[in-house]
Amino acid sequence: NVLKYSTIAGNHALTVHAPSEAAIHFERALGALSDTAPTPQKAELHHGLAKSLAQILSRGDLNKAEDQLRLAFGAYLEAGDTQSAIDVALTYFPPVHDLLGMHEILKKAVILEPDQSLTRGNLLIEFVLRSVFVGKADTDEMGSIVDEARKIAEKFDDDPLRLKILINGDPRGRGYDRGGYLDSIHDEALVLASELNDSAAEFILCELAADRVLSKGDYNRAYQLA
């Protein structure tokens, strides 16, 4: 059964960090999917392909992965599976501009999680980041959302959420000078990322720092950070 084994192979490839292989399997599974297939099954395959493509596509082509994510999110909502729809919304995508679909998904997902939970805190801070990236961030509104996320982090004493808040920042205090803001919290965030053994956050912090010093013409320092 092509559908069954391609799905299993795709999920396995993701777990062993082989996204290119995973994408092939999920595309094959989607090709074998019948029009009468259950909606959750469609959603699972679109989500798997989105996660795969998000890791292998260039930043300029990420809209293709975003399209798959929107299909997965919509399918889970259609099936009434709110939790899976929220999981889709929290899928990691590189912090790039112009992904309007990601912004719309997160805007809807925040409403799906009204309780003061860690899940809501993570949705809120991701929504702030995507709002800034697509130019839809009202400073005061985003600042209030950051405040809510910060309260949730304190309520649960959750360092991973604190780290996300540090990296994404508070628009009120920096006038959208993301570079200057990140310079001011880089060391603190890097220490917290190291304590949490969060290699992805460490990579993002170093990459962003390298971009900032490169823009100032400090090529040697950029090379060290990268």
Side-chain angles (χ1 to χ4, degrees):
N1 186 304
V2 173
L3 177 59
K4 177 182 177 180
Y5 290 110
S6 291
T7 302
I8 292 172
N11 285 320
H12 174 72
L14 278 179
T15 62
V16 297
H17 308 293
S20 296
E21 182 180 339
I24 293 171
H25 290 303
F26 285 122
E27 286 175 341
R28 185 177 294 132
L30 282 166
L33 201 65
S34 71
D35 293 337
T36 58
T39 302
Q41 187 177 32
K42 296 177 184 177
E44 178 190 358
L45 295 177
H46 285 302
H47 191 201
L49 183 55
K51 288 186 286 186
S52 305
L53 294 177
Q55 297 180 58
I56 62 177
L57 291 177
S58 66
R59 295 193 173 195
D61 288 330
L62 278 174
N63 61 299
K64 297 174 184 176
E66 183 187 48
D67 288 343
Q68 294 296 320
L69 204 69
R70 283 197 280 192
L71 288 169
F73 185 77
Y76 277 128
L77 286 184
E78 182 183 337
D81 189 345
T82 300
Q83 185 55 59
S84 292
I86 289 173
D87 290 342
V88 167
L90 288 172
T91 300
Y92 174 76
F93 263 56
V96 298
H97 296 266
D98 299 327
L99 293 180
L100 288 168
M102 287 292 295
H103 175 261
E104 291 302 316
I105 287 172
L106 283 159
K107 185 176 182 179
K108 294 174 182 177
V110 166
I111 299 171
L112 297 175
E113 181 68 23
D115 297 330
Q116 296 298 295
S117 64
L118 280 174
T119 298
R120 179 172 175 81
N122 281 285
L123 286 169
L124 289 171
I125 206 65
E126 290 292 334
F127 176 62
V128 169
L129 180 65
R130 297 298 169 181
S131 296
V132 171
F133 279 177
V134 299
K136 295 182 178 292
D138 174 86
T139 303
D140 290 334
E141 179 190 3
M142 293 299 114
S144 296
I145 293 174
V146 171
D147 284 344
E148 183 182 349
R150 189 175 286 118
K151 289 177 181 177
I152 291 172
E154 294 307 313
K155 175 183 177 181
F156 291 95
D157 191 23
D158 191 75
D159 281 338
L161 181 54
R162 288 192 185 105
L163 178 59
K164 274 191 176 183
I165 294 169
L166 272 177
I167 293 174
N168 292 336
D170 188 335
R172 290 168 301 189
R174 54 190 168 92
Y176 299 116
D177 178 16
R178 184 165 173 77
Y181 165 78
L182 286 170
D183 280 336
S184 69
I185 59 90
H186 177 81
D187 291 343
E188 179 184 357
L190 202 56
V191 168
L192 186 53
S194 178
E195 289 175 352
L196 293 170
N197 197 28
D198 189 338
S199 57
E202 289 179 294
F203 175 80
I204 290 170
L205 285 163
C206 290
E207 182 183 39
L208 291 172
D211 286 344
R212 294 195 302 280
V213 298
L214 186 61
S215 68
K216 299 173 184 177
D218 190 345
Y219 300 106
N220 290 333
R221 178 62 177 154
Y223 179 78
Q224 292 171 356
L225 286 166

